[in-house]
Amino acid sequence: ELQAVGLAMSTQKDRNMLLNIIVRLCIDTTGADAGTLYLLDDDPENQDKKILRFMVNQNFSLNIQSVPFTMPLDKKSLAGYVALTHNILNIKDSYSIPESEEFLHSKSFDEKYNYITKSILTFPMVNRKDEAIGVIQLINKRKHIDVVLKDKKDFEEFVVPFNEIDERTVSALGSQAAVAL
């Protein structure tokens, strides 16, 4: 499967299409309900700094149009933390992140769309120079890939933590995605 993924990524010339393919492959491979991709970019207000630019959002359970945005590259957000440390974050329950952590998960999306972000797998896309060029965040691994998460009961019954196999798989996908980009 990883060879097929690598081929698909290396032959796609349209950057936006490639970004969507990368997120779709990560979602399908792990059974996630949603996925988001951020790319590191120069801060237009300060060329010495980098920002995270939101590029792609796909969600199986919600049909929403995402609005592009940027956020600072710092350790306060999950994506920023992963981009700066190159560490994978595998969070079983985003509502139980200890206050002692450097990062937090914003609940604004959940509040706006009546969604419950429970399990999160966030990993870097690192190029051959060992530089993070982006971050992929997967949300809510589902017990059954065809389950639509509609209400609190669904989130409690069907959302499970991401596992070590997911971590290893997305690590490989993240590396291939970085090379393809």
Side-chain angles (χ1 to χ4, degrees):
E1 279 187 14
L2 285 176
Q3 286 176 332
V5 166
L7 182 62
M9 285 194 267
S10 66
T11 57
Q12 181 55 249
K13 303 297 183 214
D14 180 312
R15 187 172 189 228
N16 287 333
M17 185 67 77
L18 177 59
L19 296 176
N20 277 287
I21 288 170
I22 291 166
V23 172
R24 174 56 48 207
L25 291 169
C26 291
I27 287 172
D28 291 348
T29 303
T30 61
D33 187 51
T36 305
L37 187 146
Y38 301 88
L39 291 179
L40 273 75
D41 201 356
D42 292 328
D43 187 335
E45 296 175 14
N46 183 347
Q47 292 299 317
D48 295 332
K49 288 188 173 184
K50 295 278 190 187
I51 56 170
L52 285 168
R53 185 172 301 284
F54 169 86
M55 299 299 293
V56 175
N57 180 48
Q58 296 177 12
N59 190 304
F60 185 78
S61 294
L62 295 176
N63 184 15
I64 55 173
Q65 293 297 319
S66 302
V67 177
F69 65 91
T70 62
M71 57 190 202
L73 179 60
D74 59 34
K75 291 184 179 180
K76 293 177 184 174
S77 69
L78 300 176
Y81 181 88
V82 166
L84 291 168
T85 65
H86 296 198
N87 293 330
I88 293 175
L89 284 180
N90 187 347
I91 298 170
K92 292 177 181 14
D93 184 353
S94 73
Y95 285 84
S96 298
I97 296 173
E99 289 182 21
S100 60
E101 292 292 355
E102 292 181 75
F103 52 82
L104 57 91
H105 182 257
S106 171
K107 306 299 185 256
S108 60
F109 180 90
D110 289 8
E111 292 164 0
K112 183 175 181 178
Y113 294 103
N114 197 29
Y115 191 78
I116 302 172
T117 299
K118 194 166 180 181
S119 59
I120 305 173
L121 183 59
T122 310
F123 57 97
M125 293 186 297
V126 179
N127 66 17
R128 291 181 180 140
K129 297 176 187 175
D130 199 34
E131 301 165 330
I133 64 163
V135 173
I136 299 173
Q137 190 167 78
L138 301 174
I139 308 292
N140 289 341
K141 180 179 176 80
R142 295 167 291 157
K143 284 183 187 177
H144 309 289
I145 60 169
D146 57 345
V147 169
V148 175
L149 303 172
K150 297 178 290 225
D151 55 38
K152 187 175 181 178
K153 181 179 165 269
D154 293 336
F155 289 93
E156 290 171 359
E157 185 176 345
F158 297 113
V159 174
V160 296
F162 292 93
N163 58 43
E164 287 182 33
I165 294 169
D166 296 324
E167 288 182 28
R168 288 195 303 269
T169 303
V170 298
S171 242
L173 287 171
S175 295
Q176 286 186 340
V179 170
L181 287 168

